[in-house]
Amino acid sequence: MTDDLRKGRIVIVGASLAGLRAAEALREQGFTGSLTVVGDEAYLPYDRPPLSKQVLLGQVAADTTALPMRRDPDAEWRLGVAATGLDPLRKRVLLADGDELPYDRLLIATGTRARPWPNSEEGALDGVFTLRTCDDSEGLAERLAAGPRRVLVIGGGFTGSEVASACRERGLEVTVAERGPGPLVGALGGTLSKLAAAMHRGHGVDLRCGVTVTALRGDGSGRFVGADLSDGSSVEADVCVVALGAVRNIEWLADSGLAAGPRGLACDAGCRAFNMYGIVTDDVFAAGDVSRFPHPLFEYQMLSLEHWGNAVAQAEVAAHNLVNPGPLRRPHLAVPVFWSSQFGLNIKSVGVPSFSDQVVIAQGSLEARRLAMVYGYRGRVTAAVTVNMAKTLEYYQHLIETAAPFPPAPGAADRPMAAEIPIPSDVPDPKGLSHGPTVALTGYLPDRRLTVVQPRG
């Protein structure tokens, strides 16, 4: 059985970080069959974190961010052509060029795309950008290098905050408009959001919270010149970056019968995709940003993650399970980890901060802008975030993995815990944010409503 699984045809849809690492891992696992990787962009897989940091600062060119290959995956690369459909009965992936790819097993790693501005006419104005792809980053970097008088950033999540940081480092005037009470609040909660807001303003950002952008304005000849806000104010700017979070690339699966919806493609902890009736498939797997999967540390809530480390870890689990029979398959139980650099701060997180009801500062302080904040839910540790204290994160990860009691024991802090009383984590309803959280709890329910028809005997 194992030998049979290491032959045949495997198709990976998504020439992404997850797609590349899965392809490499398949060969490392001894897969000798045909391997095809499909990607809608014309590029081999590239690294996305530099696109909102070093590329915007002019430190590296966008076309130099290709991911290094740990080994040659000996794959056929079908680049610049999107998957448009899936026929699970005939086991075919349908492509935009009219071709059909047969498979024995399929890995879906199509990731996400930037959420566009809802008014397509306004979003098409010259000077309005989203930031997700290599081309996006290259175009935006050119505009920033040209020295616009002001940049408007819509959305105060990680991408929006990193763009604002890069603008200020370039000496550009920047306004950030965030619908929620503060930047990063959806990812980190209210306490750290206050520190983030102070850093924005301390570095000269015109930060406006609790407002929405109601319209983008053009000059009559197609160029962006400013925006109107819900509080009646306006912003004059030459460049606008729409940072409203991500959209999962699942539309091509609409008629596939899989459990794919706005929050991603549901799969089990072994990366096997569910169909819409909750039956797990044995030949379709998912990995990376497009997937949502149950995690036992977080009450088996379905997690949807948008970060580098999860894409790598999940891809390796998926590759292992693609070529091994049931008893040898393993679960994807990695604890979420993500990081961001902005305004001189190194922010790292482990666990799921939004899965919390209380927080406590265990080390450092907000005033020093160097701290470790621990998050708890119903009396156990569920997450930790460090600011300029990354080396301590491994310790807190251990507390999460062992379901340690919250607040942490005295040995977990550099101060008497009695001096720090836990306070509410103040995680807002995502509906009140401009941006979505990097780690999202998507609940137990499916994305779509079903009409159940009982089979007749």
Side-chain angles (χ1 to χ4, degrees), residues 121-157:
E121 185 176 336
E122 294 176 359
L125 289 170
D126 182 30
V128 177
F129 294 84
T130 55
L131 183 56
R132 174 66 183 174
T133 69
C134 180
D135 290 341
D136 292 340
S137 184
E138 181 179 31
L140 179 56
E142 289 177 359
R143 286 299 178 93
L144 298 185
R149 54 178 173 158
R150 180 172 291 274
V151 178
L152 170 64
V153 179
I154 307 175

Side-chain angles (χ1 to χ4, degrees), residues 305-311 334-339 347-352 384 393 397 400-401 438-439:
L305 312 180
E306 296 173 30
H307 44 71
W308 203 94
N310 179 72
V335 178
V337 178
F338 67 91
W339 68 92
I347 302 171
K348 297 198 77 169
S349 167
V350 62
V352 183
L393 209 61
Q397 180 169 336
I400 297 166
E401 292 172 338
T438 306
V439 182

Side-chain angles (χ1 to χ4, degrees), residues 26 35 83 90 92 245 359 450 452:
L26 283 168
L35 182 58
R90 295 172 55 237
R92 297 285 192 275
V359 295
L450 296 175
V452 176

Side-chain angles (χ1 to χ4, degrees), residues 155-156 177-182 208-212 430-435:
E178 165 55 43
R179 179 179 178 180
R208 307 192 191 186
C209 300
V211 298
T212 57
K431 294 178 182 177
L433 303 175
S434 298
H435 57 280

Side-chain angles (χ1 to χ4, degrees), residues 246-261:
V247 179
R248 282 159 180 80
N249 292 318
I250 49 79
E251 289 81 2
W252 67 285
L253 298 172
D255 299 321
S256 67
L258 296 177

